Amino acid sequence: MRDVVTGAFSYSGAAVAAELRRRGRAVRTLTNHPAPEALGMEVHPLDLTNPDALRRSLTGVDVLYNTYWVRFPHGEVTFDAAVEASARLFEAAAEAGVRRIVHVSITHADVASPYAYFRGKGRVERSLAACGVSHAVVRPAILFGGEGVLINNIAWLMRRFPVMLVGGGGDYRVRGIHVADLATLMADLGDEEGTTTTDAVGPQSLAFVDLLGHLRTATGSHTRFAPVPGRAFPAVTWALGRVLRDTLLTREEYLAMADGLADSDAPSTGATSITEWIARNGDSLGRTYAHELRRHFLPRPDRTVAGADRALSRGRRGSSGAPRPPWTGSSARRRC
């Protein structure tokens, strides 16, 4: 069967495409950032303003795996525009006869959320429910592994600064999932029927400051943690972002995390322990800075399914290169 993955040269989309290909599925991607090496994968443009083109690209497709979204507004890209574009994608899938849609959302997505990101994700879920196609929604909080940005860039800061400022003391909790576990969960849900919503979360819920402590130990950093009042912390990350010409953490991202929205009390759907993964990969974390804006708007040429396979393979190994124990799939109650 042929499946479609939006953004198969991006972070989570590449992991999903790689997992589907490992299962013998034919994959087509809809993307605005085609890479020179697609490894037999069909590449179609992701033109979310053209319903006819979307329908043609989705004709004959069994499952649509949708990872499309925007992390923060940038230029003409806004949350409202992303919500409208997502609705057009779902409508086109319904009209093309797609059997099922597996969609990446966010923990605590809610149309009434005070945070625009979560509010927009809630609106997208509502559009998905209205399109009439069998669907599954997966809701991760944060992702790690592969070529992830968040954990790597925290480690990069730790390697370079003697003091790390922590917003509000860092007692708020986070519960991450490994990107390979997310991909397995999504592929499993694509084979199922019926409408489901699942928090995509790993086995560990950690206070953010404890997560920082594990990173400090794994990287051999001697940085000291200094609490900053929560109301002032967004200004700190904004100023550092200006220096790096990047967006490290938006004001809403920090406030939502401090409000507990990066945590979940749902059963684990991933097997990979974030602290064990950090310990295995501490030597390589933070060696280079992962520039969010450059990555999103100027993708690297190797952002392919092959690149995802290489990155995920590295993520499953410790710094010594020894393979990590295999993580179980959804049938064993899984995912990072």
Side-chain angles (χ1 to χ4, degrees), residues 2 15 38 40 54 65-67 87 119 127 152 159 167 172 187 204 221 228 262 264 277 295 334:
R2 184 174 303 283
L54 287 173
Y65 295 88
N66 181 45
T67 68
R119 193 164 58 247
S127 294
N152 178 81
R159 291 184 184 277
Y172 35 86
Q204 291 175 291
S221 168
V228 174
S264 168
W277 178 86
R295 174 178 290 203
R334 340 131 18 130

Side-chain angles (χ1 to χ4, degrees), residues 249-331:
L249 189 73
T250 69
R251 178 179 182 275
E252 279 211 344
E253 285 173 337
Y254 166 70
L255 293 175
M257 183 167 59
D259 208 16
L261 301 191
D263 193 19
S264 168
D265 59 4
S268 175
T269 49
T272 307
S273 158
I274 190 170
T275 56
E276 292 177 4
W277 178 86
I278 287 172
R280 285 194 302 269
N281 293 278
D283 185 61
S284 61
L285 286 170
R287 293 296 182 181
T288 59
Y289 178 75
H291 199 288
E292 178 75 12
L293 291 178
R294 290 176 186 166
R295 174 178 290 203
H296 183 73
F297 293 99
L298 295 172
R300 296 205 315 263
D302 66 348
R303 186 58 59 83
T304 61
V305 174
D309 284 328
R310 291 191 294 269
L312 294 178
S313 177
R314 289 195 300 270
R316 293 179 188 132
R317 295 172 179 266
S319 58
S320 66
R324 66 169 241 201
W327 38 266
T328 56
S330 60
S331 59

Side-chain angles (χ1 to χ4, degrees), residues 41-72:
M41 182 171 54
E42 291 184 31
V43 179
H44 289 211
L46 179 62
D47 186 354
L48 294 167
T49 66
N50 189 335
D52 290 337
L54 287 173
R55 280 192 295 272
R56 288 193 296 271
S57 294
L58 292 168
T59 297
V61 167
D62 185 43
V63 183
L64 166 63
Y65 295 88
N66 181 45
T67 68
Y68 168 74
W69 188 241
V70 295
R71 182 185 148 195
F72 46 78

Side-chain angles (χ1 to χ4, degrees), residues 230-254:
R231 64 183 180 276
F233 190 65
V236 172
T237 60
W238 177 86
L240 188 54
R242 293 284 290 181
V243 172
L244 296 171
R245 297 183 179 181
D246 196 12
T247 299
L248 293 180
L249 189 73
T250 69
R251 178 179 182 275
E252 279 211 344
E253 285 173 337
Y254 166 70

Side-chain angles (χ1 to χ4, degrees), residues 1-6 20 25-30 42 44 53-66 89 92-102 133-134 190:
M1 302 295 294
R2 184 174 303 283
D3 299 323
V4 161
V5 179
T6 59
L20 292 172
R25 307 283 290 194
V27 177
R28 173 185 301 163
T29 184
L30 306 184
E42 291 184 31
H44 289 211
L54 287 173
R55 280 192 295 272
R56 288 193 296 271
S57 294
L58 292 168
T59 297
V61 167
D62 185 43
V63 183
L64 166 63
Y65 295 88
N66 181 45
L89 177 64
E95 293 168 1
V98 171
R99 177 183 67 84
R100 187 161 175 79
I101 299 172
V102 181
V133 178
S134 167

